[in-house]
Amino acid sequence: MKFIKVNNYEEMSAKAAEIIAAQITLKPNCVLGLATGSTPVGIYKNLIEKNKNGVIDFSEVTSVNLDEYIGLTPENDQSYRYFMNNNLFNHVNINKEKTFVPNGMAQDTAKEGADYDARIKALGGIDIQLLGIGLDGHIGFNEPDSCFTKETHEVKLDESTIVANSRFFASIDDVPKSAITMGMGSIMSAKKVLLVANGENKREILEKAFFGPITPEVPASILQLHNDLVVIYSEK
Ligand code: F6R
């Protein structure tokens, strides 16, 4: 693992964007595993800038996102599909048909999960997976549990995740109570993993996840077993 401490959010965003840009340059038809949440917004801004300046070309890129709330349509401005369109896809020359987000409206979430995993496999796996980390150690929406789940699956969100994510909603009651998330199988099979975090409140969970025991009670701790992991952290 490479643990890089930087001085501020801008530096974290710029460094992470450089790594993703390098991946696109080296393999123009790469598969990017993408995340939502507040942490990657600055990375996406940097990538948009690089695309506008002709530094990177998304025309052959495919993307697969980590997760989606159950019950939110792609048009709902709180859905992760909407977030991705708004924060990245609408502003770069990516082919939207090659951008995938789990379907939160699927009737059969088990089938949706199996189809999502099959799609990732058919694409040849993920070249680089971008991750944030929740205060409880979740990655994607893999919440603390008694075991690691390999497949893309439906999850009940923890109270702490609902509270943390309520900042994006009009009221806490509007936060969906469940989601569909990529499991540890696809995340750990990614050729490279890039985890970004910022803020003093993330320090404790980063210590537990990357310098403590590997346990499903701290889902991100499984990343210690990944042989190409970069963590970029800014305390501010
Ligand atoms: C989002 C996701 C989540 C977030 C995590 C941190 O797709 O998978 O695991 O990365 O909740 O969120 P922020 O960045 O808002 O602190």
Side-chain angles (χ1 to χ4, degrees):
M1 169 183 56
K2 208 175 193 181
F3 194 98
I4 306 172
K5 226 174 148 195
V6 294
N7 293 317
N8 51 47
Y9 180 78
E10 288 66 37
E11 232 185 281
M12 181 203 77
S13 304
K15 236 185 206 346
E18 282 305 345
I19 294 171
I20 296 171
Q23 173 68 76
I24 298 171
T25 301
L26 290 174
K27 187 178 174 192
N29 63 347
C30 62
V31 178
L32 300 180
L34 299 176
T36 62
S38 49
T39 317
V41 172
I43 300 173
Y44 296 150
K45 285 199 175 123
N46 275 269
L47 291 175
I48 292 168
E49 197 58 29
K50 285 181 192 300
N51 183 236
K52 287 214 158 56
N53 296 340
V55 178
I56 47 171
D57 175 13
F58 281 84
S59 62
E60 291 179 58
V61 168
T62 299
S63 71
V64 287
N65 259 79
L66 284 166
D67 41 20
E68 180 60 283
Y69 287 119
I70 288 190
L72 298 193
T73 62
E75 296 74 33
N76 186 309
D77 63 5
Q78 295 300 341
S79 75
Y80 284 171
R81 160 54 77 181
Y82 188 96
F83 174 100
M84 288 310 302
N85 287 346
N86 209 31
N87 284 285
L88 183 66
F89 302 151
N90 287 348
H91 311 287
V92 294
N93 68 330
I94 199 164
N95 175 354
K96 279 248 186 83
E97 313 238 303
K98 297 207 292 190
T99 66
F100 301 98
V101 179
N103 178 8
M105 297 302 289
Q107 290 298 314
D108 182 346
T109 47
K111 182 176 183 306
E112 172 64 16
D115 290 350
Y116 205 70
D117 288 336
R119 180 185 304 283
I120 293 171
K121 210 167 170 198
L123 287 166
I126 296 164
D127 288 295
I128 185 164
Q129 177 65 55
L130 176 64
L131 297 172
I133 183 169
L135 291 172
D136 60 1
H138 69 237
I139 48 175
F141 271 134
N142 293 278
E143 297 282 26
D145 205 344
S146 53
C147 61
F148 292 111
T149 303
K150 195 172 172 194
E151 295 80 21
T152 297
H153 60 289
E154 180 173 342
V155 277
K156 219 175 134 291
L157 299 181
D158 276 6
E159 197 50 39
S160 70
T161 303
I162 293 172
V163 171
N165 289 5
S166 65
R167 67 191 194 277
F168 302 115
F169 291 81
S171 92
I172 194 159
D173 297 332
D174 295 335
V175 185
K177 306 293 176 276
S178 55
I180 179 162
T181 183
M182 209 187 264
M184 295 305 191
S186 295
I187 294 174
M188 289 300 287
S189 301
K191 294 178 189 81
K192 291 173 193 308
V193 176
L194 172 59
L195 185 142
V196 286
N198 78 293
E200 234 176 282
N201 63 342
K202 294 269 170 91
R203 188 177 353 133
E204 197 182 325
I205 193 62
L206 288 174
E207 265 166 29
K208 278 193 190 154
F210 299 113
F211 304 100
I214 297 171
T215 163
E217 278 157 28
V218 183
S221 64
I222 198 172
L223 296 171
Q224 292 182 41
L225 296 174
H226 198 282
N227 60 17
D228 193 347
L229 166 66
V230 177
V231 179
I232 307 179
Y233 176 51
S234 161
E235 215 161 66
K236 283 192 209 133

